[in-house]
């Protein structure tokens, strides 16, 4: 089996599971692979988050129906589907994907038979299709797409999806539960772990910085759900965490700009072991590394 670059990147996103992977017992008593442990956590007003393996899932479950934001991988998506079905007698109405990466859309197939609609921003939908042509039969694609924004009422909750331009990928949506005042950032938020900047899909660190600033300003008192966090760090938090990642991305761009001005080659700049001022950021797997961020910053600053 051959892999092109996109396939490699998508496959490697298994490594994004980071925290969750570390807790997974590899082999059960009977020699079978044990399913990864999963957890439902309430935030407020029927909204909460689900952790298993892959990007954090946000959920709503009220008497009029349930909604999932992101789907992880099939193994844990199944547990999420079953849990949400128990939490709302009317079943799961919607699945929304924040972006196309496999650790957020791989589990769509577990939701497909039970949800009325799968919603994606249109660039996310395009990237999801383009990067999964070899295993399209294992995917579940969007039936509803939106450009700038999307909204739907589910019982007494009002949900919104917003597109602020390229960030972590070329197509990331921010999903808002208006009345609960909870905002799912998808992978526009990595807490204390080096983020992935998916250049080939159209990511932009400069615009990502502006997104974090705008969203933090617009939803100053909200609780935010983060796509990923380093081991032991929370996957939810306040607006100030968005500004912390903004500062990290700004520092990374400045660090690389300095290197370019000093005529340092890309490989030399990417050898840095620490971003000054952000020593507590951890790596996870081979994808979430400082070198990955610095290489992406270099590409963006020189293109
Ligand atoms: Zn991602």
């Amino acid at each position: 089996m051959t892999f092109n670059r996109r396939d490699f990147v998508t496959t490697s996103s298994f490594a994004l599971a980071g925290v969750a992977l570390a807790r997974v017992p590899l082999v059960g008593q009977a020699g079978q692979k044990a399913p990864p442990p999963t957890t439902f956590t309430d935030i407020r007003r029927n909204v909460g988050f689900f952790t298993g393996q892959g990007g954090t899932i946000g959920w709503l479950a009220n008497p009029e129906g349930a909604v999932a934001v992101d789907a992880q991988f099939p193994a844990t998506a199944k547990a999420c589907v079953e849990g949400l079905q128990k939490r709302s007698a009317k079943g799961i109405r919607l699945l929304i994907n924040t972006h196309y990466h496999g650790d957020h859309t791989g589990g769509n197939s577990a939701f497909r038979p039970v949800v009325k609609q799968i919603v994606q921003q249109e660039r996310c939908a395009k990237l999801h299709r383009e990067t999964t042509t070899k295993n399209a039969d294992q995917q579940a694609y969007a039936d509803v797409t939106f450009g700038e924004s999307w909204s739907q009422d589910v019982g007494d909750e009002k949900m919104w999806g917003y597109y602020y331009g390229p960030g972590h990928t070329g197509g990331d949506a921010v999903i808002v539960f208006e009345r609960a005042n909870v905002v799912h950032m998808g992978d526009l938020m990595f807490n204390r772990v080096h983020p992935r900047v998916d250049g080939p899909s159209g990511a932009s660190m400069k615009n990502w910085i502006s997104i974090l600033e705008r969203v933090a300003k617009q939803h100053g008192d909200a609780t935010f759900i983060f796509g990923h966090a380093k081991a032991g760090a929370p996957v939810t938090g306040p607006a100030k965490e968005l500004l912390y990642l903004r500062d990290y991305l700004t520092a990374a761009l400045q660090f690389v700009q300095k290197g370019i001005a000093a005529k340092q080659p890309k490989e030399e700049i990417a050898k840095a072991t620490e971003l000054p001022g952000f020593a507590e950021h951890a790596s996870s797997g081979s994808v979430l590394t400082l070198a990955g961020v610095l290489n992406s910053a270099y590409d963006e600053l020189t293109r």
Side-chain angles (χ1 to χ4, degrees):
M1 190 171 175
T2 55
F3 289 94
N4 63 31
R5 186 176 147 73
R6 274 276 167 67
D7 285 327
F8 169 73
V9 167
T10 306
T11 309
S12 300
S13 59
F14 276 92
L16 287 175
V19 185
L21 273 178
R23 290 197 299 256
V24 178
L26 290 178
V27 180
Q29 294 255 310
Q32 298 282 325
K33 233 182 181 180
T38 58
T39 317
F40 278 89
T41 307
D42 290 290
I43 298 176
R44 60 177 161 263
R45 223 180 174 281
N46 304 316
V47 172
F49 65 93
F50 170 93
T51 55
Q53 197 174 52
T56 315
I57 294 177
W59 53 262
L60 163 73
N62 67 30
E64 291 308 309
V67 176
V69 181
D70 284 342
Q72 299 189 348
F73 297 108
T76 50
K78 194 168 169 281
C80 188
V81 165
E82 288 166 2
L84 288 178
Q85 284 174 327
K86 279 188 204 129
R87 282 171 162 76
S88 180
K90 293 216 173 149
I92 308 174
R93 285 193 25 194
L94 289 172
L95 167 65
I96 305 157
N97 294 124
T98 58
H99 65 294
Y100 80 98
H101 286 155
D103 60 322
H104 298 255
T105 58
N108 280 17
S109 53
F111 283 89
R112 177 80 282 175
V114 300
V115 292
K116 294 194 173 71
Q117 289 178 336
I118 297 177
V119 182
Q120 294 178 339
Q121 200 277 338
E122 58 197 23
R123 279 169 199 262
C124 165
K126 188 167 178 281
L127 288 162
H128 188 196
R129 281 189 183 276
E130 283 174 0
T131 54
T132 53
T133 50
K134 286 187 191 133
N135 59 355
D137 56 326
Q138 292 157 41
Q139 306 296 320
Y141 298 110
D143 4 67
V144 175
T145 61
F146 66 93
E148 295 282 302
S149 71
W150 161 92
S151 182
Q152 191 162 323
D153 291 347
V154 178
D156 67 355
E157 183 54 272
K158 190 171 188 68
M159 298 192 57
W160 295 87
Y162 294 106
Y163 178 60
Y164 293 89
H168 160 72
T169 70
D172 301 278
V174 171
I175 308 300
V176 177
F177 298 95
E178 185 182 291
R179 300 206 174 102
N181 199 21
V182 173
V183 180
H184 195 314
M185 296 299 289
D187 282 3
L188 290 168
M189 267 308 292
F190 286 78
N191 186 19
R192 298 325 190 258
V193 60
H194 295 297
R196 174 177 168 196
V197 185
D198 184 356
S201 78
S204 164
M205 289 172 68
K206 286 182 189 166
N207 195 59
W208 190 346
I209 288 166
S210 135
I211 295 171
L212 291 168
E213 197 157 304
R214 287 168 68 189
V215 175
K217 199 174 277 180
Q218 285 164 354
H219 304 279
D221 57 354
T223 297
F224 295 85
I225 299 172
F226 311 147
H228 301 276
K230 81 169 175 184
V235 292
T236 62
K240 73 171 177 13
E241 299 297 348
L242 277 64
L243 300 180
Y244 187 83
L245 181 59
R246 171 201 64 180
D247 292 345
Y248 167 99
L249 294 170
T250 305
L253 281 172
Q254 281 169 353
F255 181 83
V256 173
Q257 187 61 61
K258 232 187 249 176
I260 293 170
K263 305 254 186 296
Q264 275 183 284
K266 182 180 177 182
E267 304 70 47
E268 210 44 48
I269 299 171
K271 271 187 197 157
T273 53
E274 191 184 305
L275 184 63
F278 296 88
E280 67 191 271
H281 267 70
S283 299
S284 180
S286 59
V287 177
L288 305 184
T289 63
L290 179 58
V293 173
L294 299 177
N295 279 318
S296 299
Y298 188 97
D299 293 343
E300 185 168 336
L301 290 167
T302 53
R303 79 174 161 235

